[in-house]
Structure formats: C-alpha cells, structure tokens
Amino acid sequence: MGQFVDGLKFSGGSHSLMPKSFIEEVVKRAHQHDVYVSTGDWAEHLIRNGPSAFKEYVEDCKQVGFDTIELNVGSLEIPEETLLRYVRLVKSAGLKAKPKFAVMFNKSDIPSDRDRAFGAYVARAPRSTEYVEDVDLLIRRAERCLEAGADMIMIDSDDVCKHADSLRADIIAKVIGRLGLEKTMFEATNPRTSEWFIRRYGPKVNLFVDHSQVMDLECLRGRNLGKSHRSVLSSSYFLL
C-alpha cells in the first residue's frame, strides 16, 4: 500500500522499545517505497534529563533514519519560545518538525443528543473544569511554529474530531482558514470521520489514520476525484 501512503508514524514511544536494528530495517523499507518516517509522542519524556537531552534525542532520531520529529505541545508543557527553539533545532539537523496541538474545551458546553431532542431545554451540567482552550491562541502558536520552520501542524482528534457525531466543524474551519489545508493534518480515528473530512475539504486533506483504514480512505479520495483510487498518489496521511 506504499503508493497510497506518504508517512509512517511510530505511535507514542513505541520505537524506544524496539531494537535499533529493527527500527533501521523498518525505516529502510519505508524509504524504499517513498514513505517518510515520523516519531510519535516521546520527546516530552526525555527533556526531564536536562537541557542537552532534546538535542541528543534529535541526533539519535537522525542516526536511525527518522525524517520527521513530532512535538506534542500539550505534553511538553514548555514556554512558547522553547517550543520554537526546538522546532529550529529539528530543522537545523536536517529533519522535519511536526508540532501537535490539542484543542480542549468544556464538554458541558455541548448538549448531548438527548438534550437536543425536540428542542427541549435541559439545564446545563456543572462544568467539570474551568479550563477552556483559546482556539485563536492555539492557532497563533501554530502560526509561529510554521514561521520558525515547522513543516506540518498536527491537530489531535480529542474534543475536535474523534467522533463523527460530535465534530467541531467550526474549530476545524477556523484552523484550516488560518493555517491552510496543505500545512494542517487532522487525526481521524474512524472511517466516518475520514469520510466527513473528504466530503467537506476534498481528497487532498491531510489525515492521520490507522493502517486498517488506508484502502477505504483511498477509495473515498478516488471517488471524490472522479478517478480510480489507484491514481490518487498525492494523499497525505500516516499509519499508526
């Protein structure tokens, strides 16, 4: 399926549990099929080891053949200037940087399906948290990452597009409107969500999907281009 896949991602810190020789073998196989290889969420576990730990991590990733390093902004919990410095460090090593952002909002602000039935009013449930993500601030941070050299912005599915029945189309539209379709990748955890993205934003929307969804997703892309799915070679999504 290499002709339909642009990138392969090692989820979480899975590569840290694998022998170096095995990682190099997988990376080599991916490169033979013109598939780039990305790390998952792992950098945040290393920066606790000191100021030089992240630089060493970047060098280690480069040594085994990784092309892209993902930076989970929420897990890193670092100042914005430090995040931008990490992006530049990744780029200076000749690798691609992919910051990952998660939009978080209070679920009590969104009525459940039963609350919407027949337009009936149901009192809002007490807030479980006072934290509400400022989407405009998140987008501005993502813009600064792109200005610093980041190659792609990943948007986590949680609270945005995890379930097709509760997609935040307003947030998705705002993110794409500001960052652009080519520079944004959305995590699509199920086929219905992928279908929504294809129908709304066309076959070239960047999606991060599980390997089990690759062929179905490519068929969706092909139908929306009016071509066979085999001719759609410019799609951009990851395998878990």
Side-chain angles (χ1 to χ4, degrees), residues 99-125:
K100 178 180 180 180
F101 290 86
V103 181
M104 305 196 54
F105 59 92
N106 197 305
K107 293 180 175 63
S108 66
D109 290 339
I110 301 179
S112 63
D113 290 338
R114 62 181 179 81
D115 296 338
R116 293 195 294 265
F118 309 110
Y121 173 78
V122 177
R124 180 177 295 175

Side-chain angles (χ1 to χ4, degrees), residues 38-77:
S38 172
T39 67
D41 307 344
W42 189 241
E44 59 269 24
H45 298 287
L46 300 174
I47 59 174
R48 304 168 186 166
N49 297 330
S52 63
F54 184 76
K55 185 175 182 179
E56 293 172 2
Y57 169 65
V58 172
E59 291 300 325
D60 288 343
C61 289
K62 183 177 181 178
Q63 192 174 49
V64 296
F66 280 105
D67 306 289
T68 301
I69 291 183
E70 183 173 289
L71 301 169
N72 190 325
V73 178
S75 300
L76 283 171
E77 296 182 340

Side-chain angles (χ1 to χ4, degrees), residues 185-201:
M185 179 176 291
F186 292 90
E187 185 177 13
T189 56
N190 60 77
R192 289 185 62 198
T193 300
S194 299
E195 183 175 1
W196 182 91
F197 274 105
I198 297 295
R199 292 186 183 281
R200 180 65 64 92
Y201 291 104

Side-chain angles (χ1 to χ4, degrees), residues 127-146:
R127 293 193 170 195
S128 57
T129 174
E130 292 299 321
Y131 178 73
V132 180
E133 181 72 56
D134 185 333
V135 178
D136 288 314
L137 178 59
L138 180 150
I139 293 174
R140 180 55 192 144
R141 294 184 73 190
E143 287 174 334
R144 292 201 65 191
C145 285
L146 291 174

